Amino acid sequence: MKQYGRTINLKDDPQIIGRYLEYHRAIWPEVERGLKSIGIERMLIFMLMETTDAFDPERDFPRYEASNPRNREWQDLMASMQEPVADAQPGEWWAEMKLVFTL
């Protein structure tokens, strides 16, 4: 199993943050199915993903978005409430985090 830690900022607006939380309390079924279909076994938003060993984000996220129009719609909707962290690399939306300690 692989693990990926990623981070992003939500826009600093209480209404946007509230909408973002509401959407995630009732995630669209197509989105949940789409993520599972590409090998994401568990996702915690802050974000930690546990994936199958075959998962490759650069290959599989585009495949997920292309598999169902609702997945692309969801991604666009969520992106409207997000912004990259200050330390993100050029062109990077979700910034990679490195695991430095596990107890």
Side-chain angles (χ1 to χ4, degrees):
M1 176 181 297
K2 294 182 190 174
Q3 292 183 332
Y4 295 83
R6 293 186 169 182
T7 186
I8 197 163
N9 286 334
L10 294 180
K11 293 181 179 178
D12 190 15
D13 178 317
Q15 288 182 329
I16 289 174
I17 292 169
R19 281 182 41 225
Y20 188 84
L21 295 173
E22 285 181 32
Y23 276 114
H24 284 88
R25 280 196 234 15
I27 188 172
W28 300 345
E30 301 90 344
V31 170
E32 186 172 353
R33 281 192 306 271
L35 292 169
K36 289 179 179 180
S37 76
I38 61 168
I40 297 175
E41 297 179 345
R42 184 175 180 216
M43 181 185 285
L44 307 167
I45 292 190
F46 66 95
M47 163 189 327
L48 172 67
M49 295 182 291
E50 294 176 348
T51 70
T52 61
D53 289 335
F55 180 79
D56 176 0
E58 286 71 36
R59 178 195 65 216
D60 293 325
F61 273 124
R63 189 166 62 90
Y64 152 74
E65 290 177 0
S67 70
N68 186 307
R70 291 283 281 177
N71 296 341
R72 179 73 250 163
E73 183 182 353
W74 176 269
Q75 291 306 120
D76 290 342
L77 179 60
M78 295 305 109
S80 74
M81 296 179 255
Q82 302 166 334
E83 56 192 17
V85 296
D87 294 338
Q89 298 298 310
E92 185 177 51
W93 191 250
W94 282 85
E96 280 298 320
M97 298 185 313
K98 302 294 180 208
L99 179 63
V100 295
F101 177 76
T102 301
L103 177 65

